[in-house]
Every structure is written in structure tokens, then in C-alpha cells.
Amino acid sequence: QVQLVQSGAQVMRPGASVKVSCKASGYTFTSYFMHWVRQAPGQGPEWMGIINPTGDNTNYAQKFQGRVTMTRDTSTSTVYMELSSLRSEDTALYYCAGSSGYYNYFDYWGQGTLVTVSS
Amino acid sequence: QSVLTQPPSASGTPGQRVTISCSGSSSNIGSNTVNWYQQLPGTAPQLLIYSNNQRPSGVPDRFSGSKSGTSASLAISGLQSEDEADYYCATWDDSLNGWVFGGGTKLTVL
């Protein structure tokens, strides 16, 4: 079955960068678009961006442009999300999610990675 | 402040029917299909309804979705205790060029 397994929780200092990984299995990795969605405590999900199946095209939400970078390694079926210049408001659960098309619903979700930004 | 507006809470007794609304605009719900996600406590969201009213395999037919104009609704009939969760609507926004979510509705089964 399809599985998206994310890296573990991290505590970061303000101003630092964090990189979260998401390893896929159970399907053809290069057939799915991958999204990153974050959820602050008590809030609804917030879409951060998308990377295409081959990793050569990304689209980031305007709010995160200049601070976020999404990449994928087809040799290890892993996608990465790096967020820089962290501030306390970036404390959230970060999820990877897969869709079969650019405008398609999110079929599969990772378990989430808690990133805490604190001095 | 979420782009899509949902009531923060809803409730019902076992067996009842409840509906959850999701309000948007012409650039999102008005021109794109709506998906609904269920988030059980301590877990990741899970697809519940896609393309306004389609159920993925394994989702009971007690769950149904609809869309009209710039609003969408999720209906749950024959409410069960295991339906207690947070529910989120989501769609593509043409103006923002990205996916947008509602703020979520916490469903309580009394």
C-alpha cells in the first residue's frame, strides 16, 4: 500500500533553516505530484507548494516564496521541503501529500513532522 | 484567516444528519471542484469527498457532498461516534494560483 513516511520532529532557533523529508513507497514515485501542507496548532491546513513528478517544476504559495525550496530525489523516492529564516509563527505540523495530477485532490498524506521554532 | 469559511463547530446525536458548510468566492469554489478531508484526533487529514460529491473507495455512503455557486456542503447522515473529527474543505484558487483550505469544523457527537 502507499506510504509516505516523514522525518522526525525538530526544534529550531529563530532565523535557522529546517529541512523535512518524505519517503514514498508502494507506488510509482514519478507518477505523483507532491505537495507540502502545514498546520499550526488549532488552525486549518495551509498549502505551501507543489513539486512535479520529475522534480524540475515547482509552484510555491506566495506567502512562502523566497523562503521555501522543494526538491525530490527519484533514486530514493524522497521529497524534501526546506524552509529558511524561521520565526515562531512557523511552529506547525508539516505534512507531505501526494496527488495524481496538478489540480487533483490529495490522495495520500504523510504522518506529519512537528517543527518547533523557539529561542 | 482562511480563504474558505466554515463554521467552527457542529454537533449532533447518534443517528442524526448534520451538514457542514463551506463558503468561498468566484475565484475558488465558483470555478473549481471542492474536496473534503476528515482529520481524526492526532492523525493526518484523510480524503473524504473529492470533485464535489465523489467518495473514495472505503468511505461510507453516509457521507455526501454538494456544491452550488460559491458554496459547498458536506452532509453526514446516520451520525456515529467515530465521525467525531475535524472536517476541512479545500479547492484550487485561480487568483492565488494555489490550493486553499477552510478553517475547519469540529464535529461533536453528543
Side-chain angles (χ1 to χ4, degrees), chain B residues 66-92:
Chain B
S66 64
K67 185 187 110 167
S68 178
T70 58
S71 294
S73 290
L74 172 70
I76 310 171
S77 60
L79 201 60
Q80 298 181 5
S81 58
E82 55 260 40
D83 299 333
E84 198 160 273
D86 293 323
Y87 293 85
Y88 299 96
C89 56
T91 188
W92 180 263

Side-chain angles (χ1 to χ4, degrees), chain A residues 35 37 39 42-47 50 59-62 93 95 101-107 109-112, chain B residues 1-2 32-33 35 37 39 43-47 49-51 86 88 92 96-104:
Chain A
H35 306 257
V37 177
Q39 189 171 26
Q43 304 295 313
E46 181 178 32
W47 182 77
I50 182 175
N59 177 26
Y60 303 136
Q62 188 172 11
L93 264 170
Y95 293 101
Y102 193 95
Y103 299 105
N104 282 18
Y105 44 86
F106 306 158
D107 294 81
W109 294 69
Q111 84 277 17
Chain B
Q1 193 81 353
S2 300
N32 296 290
T33 60
N35 308 313
Y37 298 89
Q39 187 172 34
T43 69
Q46 193 170 358
L47 182 65
I49 296 288
Y50 67 94
S51 298
D86 293 323
Y88 299 96
W92 180 263
L96 297 174
N97 194 33
W99 287 91
V100 292
F101 287 84

